[in-house]
Amino acid sequence: CVCVCVCEHNRFLFFSLTLSPHITSLLLLSSSNASGRPIVYYIDSGNPTSPQRLFNPRNLHVSSKEALVKLATSPQELVWVWANATAHMFKSWFDSEDAWDSVLTNTANQIRVAEYQGCGRFNMPDMLTIGQGLQTLTEYEAQMALWTVLGAPLIIGCDIRGLEKKYLDLLTNPEILAINQDPDCVQGSMVRAPDAFEIWIKPLHNGDFAVAILNKALTQGNATLRVSNLVFGGDFFPAEFDRVSVRDVMAHKDLGQFSDTVTLPVLGHGARLLHVTPL
């Protein structure tokens, strides 16, 4: 069962389908071709979600009929496998909530599916919760950094009529949007997770890289980005370079040139979003 969102002429239409992935793909292709108009197709593979939270291929102790219908138990049933040929966006996890744990969980679900994203077919970690009011600005900045490096669709999930300037500035930061909308449409990869940190890297069209350094801890700490490979230990491997120029995208500030490593403080429940240029 999938939920399909069709965006046409600034209107959103939602409908649910209890169909096989193959039939759903044929339906979307047929309706798109028949309309003669540009349409954005967004597939939400459902709550409960397409990949099981706990992989349980024989559905042991699962009594919910909805779960038995919706949950994928084989690779070909995973939404990112079959939907990227027919839909423009596809969500494969539970709905996001305006909570730090939800941001982390929805981000973690994007690990190791980068190969299924490309221009016109985007993995969707769900709408942004920025501005809904239950997290701090630092936490919202972390979500924006992660969604940006993922190259995820940036859909605002709050009431924009009362959106505070600090959130509007974050959502409309031109340097952030340029990274998110990079023409290669590559999804960033989580390359390393030292201690409470995660390092996500996205290659850019011009040969540079965008880096999000996430701090999952409550307190500030110093995180190190490995530039040099150091016997396959570099964060950019298999790319090879030893010196980089680094810019803080959130602050619109050049941080200078670095060799081998870059060590920066990261606020608790926060992230640094960097534009890295190999030299």
Side-chain angles (χ1 to χ4, degrees):
C1 179
V2 297
C3 173
V4 179
C5 169
V6 179
C7 177
E8 181 181 12
H9 298 311
N10 298 321
R11 294 180 300 169
F12 285 91
L13 305 175
F14 292 88
F15 53 93
S16 295
L17 303 170
T18 306
L19 300 170
S20 70
H22 176 66
I23 297 299
T24 303
S25 297
L26 291 177
L27 176 63
L28 291 179
L29 284 173
S30 299
S31 60
S32 178
N33 292 337
S35 73
R37 297 186 296 270
I39 294 177
V40 175
Y41 286 109
Y42 165 46
I43 292 183
D44 187 333
S45 59
N47 289 317
T49 188
S50 169
Q52 294 178 317
R53 174 175 281 172
L54 164 66
F55 183 55
N56 182 7
R58 292 197 291 123
N59 286 312
L60 300 174
H61 305 288
V62 178
S63 57
S64 167
K65 292 182 179 178
E66 181 186 23
L68 290 172
V69 171
K70 288 184 175 181
L71 293 176
T73 56
S74 62
Q76 64 268 24
E77 294 174 335
L78 294 167
V79 67
W80 57 76
V81 173
W82 61 266
N84 67 3
T86 52
H88 302 102
M89 304 185 294
F90 31 90
K91 181 168 79 72
S92 59
W93 200 242
F94 293 88
D95 291 346
S96 63
E97 301 174 3
D98 190 15
W100 180 245
D101 286 350
S102 179
V103 171
L104 296 182
T105 302
N106 281 47
T107 302
N109 189 57
Q110 305 303 304
I111 296 174
R112 302 272 68 88
V113 295
E115 294 83 357
Y116 296 94
Q117 177 164 301
C119 294
R121 47 185 176 89
F122 296 92
N123 291 312
M124 178 62 167
D126 209 1
M127 294 185 290
L128 294 164
T129 58
I130 295 168
Q132 292 184 12
L134 296 181
Q135 297 185 75
T136 66
L137 176 60
T138 298
E139 290 170 332
Y140 286 141
E141 288 175 341
Q143 184 185 36
M144 191 68 177
L146 291 166
W147 263 236
T148 296
V149 169
L150 287 170
L154 301 179
I155 300 178
I156 300 173
C158 70
D159 186 345
I160 62 172
R161 294 173 297 179
L163 192 61
E164 295 182 51
K165 184 180 183 301
K166 59 185 178 182
Y167 302 135
L168 182 61
D169 290 344
L170 175 60
L171 290 165
T172 59
N173 181 321
E175 292 188 59
I176 291 177
L177 297 181
I179 292 172
N180 176 261
Q181 298 173 19
D182 183 76
D184 283 353
C185 308
V186 176
Q187 176 179 311
S189 301
M190 201 274 281
V191 299
R192 195 161 53 90
D195 299 323
F197 300 101
E198 289 182 6
I199 298 174
W200 292 75
I201 300 180
K202 172 186 175 72
L204 301 176
H205 181 73
N206 68 348
D208 293 350
F209 296 87
V211 178
I213 304 177
L214 172 70
N215 183 2
K216 296 180 288 185
L218 281 168
T219 56
Q220 178 175 308
N222 290 330
T224 297
L225 177 68
R226 295 175 178 172
V227 175
S228 177
N229 268 336
L230 302 174
V231 192
F232 311 131
D235 292 329
F236 297 88
F237 178 83
E240 296 186 43
F241 42 84
D242 297 318
R243 188 169 178 80
V244 294
S245 174
V246 179
R247 180 171 174 82
D248 186 320
V249 175
M250 294 277 188
H252 304 289
K253 181 180 179 181
D254 291 325
L255 301 182
Q257 297 183 3
F258 299 81
S259 297
D260 298 329
T261 61
V262 181
T263 299
L264 298 170
V266 186
L267 294 174
H269 281 201
R272 300 291 293 263
L273 181 58
L274 311 174
H275 188 130
V276 175
T277 303
L279 300 174

